[in-house]
Amino acid sequence: MYLTRFRVNTARADARRLLGSPHRVHGAVNASFPTPPSRDGSGPRVLWRVDRNGTSETLLYIVSPGRPDLTHLVEQAGWPASDEPGWTTFAYTDFLTALHPGDTWGFRLTANPVHNIRHEHVKEGERTKRAAHQSPRHQMDWLLKREEGAGFEVVRKPEERRLLPEGDVHELIVRDQTPLQFRRASETTRGNSDVQITKVTFDGRLRVTDPELFRRTLTHGLGKAKAYGCGLMTLAPVLGKGEA
């Protein structure tokens, strides 16, 4: 497994056009591999995420079973005349193998928190409609309900650090919420189709509970819309362990 970081040159019109459509970024990421990994669920998949850190830096992160070649992205959305390579790829397997129960990490996750709704006129057993969670509280609940199956738990705050009487229990914030609508070329019908998703970025602290399940989360993604920049969780060291 590999973790790759690419800095996007947002001063270029082609870069801004690329970032304007998750479908275009999906295609550019897939083009980084001679043979993209299978998406049938049998193994790790290619995950990606765009982080906009203020106005100064936009980064594309990719987690993949194979090492990517981002030469085409440097030419389209980077600094092709620079002496710097344009992207950095890290070996990820050793890091994943070293994860143990009780390890505490800071994390960032961009996801597509959704739930199924059934309109009043729809009969029991008929198809429901997928809808995005809109409030930060429901978005956080969506993530917290997936902790156990994903091999981690979000760290709880000590009572003296809880600022609200309810809903302020965990080391977790919703940093960004972005509703997106874009067009993609349909693979089954002629022409294009509209895609609507809501991307939510979570920042927080977690504790590993089941390393095997957690490795799967980091390499297979969490939630829906993985092809469009959702599902990738990255980790960062924290100063100390525990709940303080």
Side-chain angles (χ1 to χ4, degrees), residues 60-75:
L60 169 65
Y61 289 94
I62 302 171
V63 165
S64 56
R67 182 185 292 271
D69 180 351
L70 304 185
T71 303
H72 62 297
L73 272 175
V74 174
E75 295 170 349

Side-chain angles (χ1 to χ4, degrees), residues 26-233:
H26 170 64
V29 169
N30 277 353
S32 304
F33 306 93
T35 305
S38 172
R39 293 172 54 189
D40 62 5
S42 60
R45 61 177 296 161
V46 174
L47 303 168
W48 63 270
R49 186 183 79 217
V50 173
D51 283 2
R52 293 176 172 86
N53 298 323
T55 59
S56 61
E57 191 175 53
T58 298
L59 298 172
L60 169 65
Y61 289 94
I62 302 171
V63 165
S64 56
R67 182 185 292 271
D69 180 351
L70 304 185
T71 303
H72 62 297
L73 272 175
V74 174
E75 295 170 349
Q76 178 183 5
W79 286 266
S82 173
D83 292 333
E84 299 180 5
W87 74 90
T88 306
T89 297
F90 307 91
Y92 202 32
T93 302
D94 289 346
F95 172 81
L96 295 171
T97 303
L99 292 170
H100 292 93
D103 289 350
T104 303
W105 296 92
F107 75 90
R108 175 168 292 175
L109 166 70
T110 293
N112 175 222
V114 296
H115 61 122
N116 292 323
I117 59 174
R118 179 180 287 108
H119 296 294
E120 292 182 1
H121 65 277
V122 177
K123 297 180 180 180
E124 186 70 26
E126 292 185 1
R127 188 173 181 178
T128 57
K129 181 180 179 181
R130 185 179 296 167
H133 286 297
Q134 298 297 332
S135 73
R137 181 174 68 85
H138 287 106
Q139 291 159 354
M140 289 183 185
D141 286 346
W142 174 90
L143 178 59
L144 294 172
K145 289 177 180 177
R146 284 155 178 78
E147 292 177 306
E148 184 177 356
F152 68 90
E153 60 183 6
V154 179
V155 174
R156 290 175 172 262
K157 293 181 179 179
E159 290 190 8
E160 63 270 18
R161 290 183 50 203
R162 300 177 187 176
L163 303 179
L164 302 173
E166 59 182 34
D168 190 34
V169 176
H170 297 86
E171 296 274 5
L172 179 66
I173 62 170
V174 174
R175 191 178 64 89
D176 187 34
Q177 174 177 305
T178 308
L180 296 173
Q181 181 172 348
F182 54 95
R183 297 184 71 80
R184 66 174 179 183
S186 176
E187 298 176 357
T188 57
T189 61
R190 294 181 180 180
N192 297 325
S193 59
D194 287 331
V195 178
Q196 296 184 42
I197 62 174
T198 297
K199 295 174 68 172
V200 175
T201 298
F202 301 96
D203 281 347
R205 292 178 63 187
L206 62 77
R207 183 178 297 107
V208 180
T209 56
D210 186 320
E212 184 175 353
L213 286 176
F214 191 50
R215 292 183 195 107
R216 181 178 176 84
T217 298
L218 296 176
T219 57
H220 289 68
L222 189 63
K224 305 293 185 181
K226 297 182 182 73
Y228 300 122
C230 298
L232 173 57
M233 176 185 285

Side-chain angles (χ1 to χ4, degrees), residues 7-24:
R7 186 178 177 190
V8 181
N9 182 359
T10 55
R12 303 186 65 176
D14 283 348
R16 296 193 297 272
R17 180 175 180 271
L18 177 71
L19 294 175
S21 170
H23 183 64
R24 294 193 189 103

